[in-house]
Amino acid sequence: MKFFIDTANIDEIKEANDLGILDGVTTNPSLMAKEKITGEDAILKHYKSICQIVNGPVSAEVIATDFKGMIKEGERLADLHHNIVVKVPMTTEGIKAIKYFSENKIKTNCTLIFSAGQALLAAKAGATYVSPFIGRIDDISGDGIGLIAQIRRIFDNYSFDTQILAASVRHTMHIIDCAEIGADVMTGPLKAILQLAKHPLTDSGLAQFLADYEKGNK
Ligand code: E4P
């Protein structure tokens, strides 16, 4: 399973990249606003900076909601760097745009997926990735992981090339469950990725090894 980090924060992206296990980055307009990246020029510059850090796909979301606007914006984003993946919302206009982009060799990430039907439609349009938001589904007492499993079965039934990008990941169990089910990618916060390394028995075991070494090498 590929690991993407879900942030527009340059320091976090660098820290995750330095771990050596980072495969890509996802951003969205809220994450860009959180970093106070505003205005077209600054936004495009920021995407370029991210692409210079990470050698992998970087999702950049369109703001336009109509087909023509999405195409214009998406082509501009794709021209920035070969690693840019144009993130398009799950709407009927978005589906038309994904179809256009896939016919023109521009990679896409269909975002805001909350049902298997939406994922199926995006895959049929030729999306490179679909992003089911598992955390937000769990937030309203739904079954985010169940949705990943359902989409996995559907995509396997028909051998769709579209990759399942489990998004809105909140914690380590989301990551582990996604890996068990066979999500192609997960995108989450740095904190959840780092937490995978933690175990109290690792900490106490290491402390014991070091103490024993000290005793024997006084
Ligand atoms: C996906 O690409 C989105 O940016 C993201 O995962 C949304 O996560 P959130 O529900 O934590 O905002």
Side-chain angles (χ1 to χ4, degrees), residues 44-61:
L44 297 180
K45 198 169 151 225
H46 199 74
Y47 287 139
K48 268 192 174 175
S49 307
I50 296 174
C51 288
Q52 274 149 17
I53 302 167
V54 181
N55 185 20
V58 174
S59 286
E61 189 159 341

Side-chain angles (χ1 to χ4, degrees), residues 18-91:
D18 286 349
L19 277 175
I21 50 82
L22 192 66
D23 300 298
V25 179
T26 52
T27 64
N28 64 40
S30 305
L31 293 170
M32 294 291 274
K34 196 173 158 198
E35 300 307 316
K36 305 201 183 341
I37 315 293
T38 52
E40 205 185 334
D41 289 349
I43 290 172
L44 297 180
K45 198 169 151 225
H46 199 74
Y47 287 139
K48 268 192 174 175
S49 307
I50 296 174
C51 288
Q52 274 149 17
I53 302 167
V54 181
N55 185 20
V58 174
S59 286
E61 189 159 341
V62 297
I63 304 302
T65 54
D66 64 302
F67 173 74
K68 274 193 182 162
M70 286 181 187
I71 300 308
K72 195 173 159 213
E73 213 181 321
E75 285 180 334
R76 183 123 192 252
L77 289 168
D79 277 347
L80 283 179
H81 195 278
H82 61 270
N83 280 342
I84 290 285
V85 173
V86 179
K87 208 173 183 189
V88 178
M90 165 38 74
T91 59

Side-chain angles (χ1 to χ4, degrees), residues 4-7 25-31 59 61 87 109-112 114 131-137 139 165-170 187-189:
F4 289 1
I5 188 168
D6 195 29
T7 185
V25 179
T26 52
T27 64
N28 64 40
S30 305
L31 293 170
S59 286
E61 189 159 341
K87 208 173 183 189
N109 173 357
C110 186
T111 190
L112 292 164
F114 293 94
S131 285
F133 278 33
I134 60 176
R136 293 193 194 185
I137 292 173
D139 287 345
L165 196 174
S168 185
V169 158
R170 304 254 196 264
T187 190

Side-chain angles (χ1 to χ4, degrees), residues 17 37 79 162 181 195:
N17 195 53
I37 315 293
D79 277 347
T162 301
I181 287 165
Q195 197 63 33

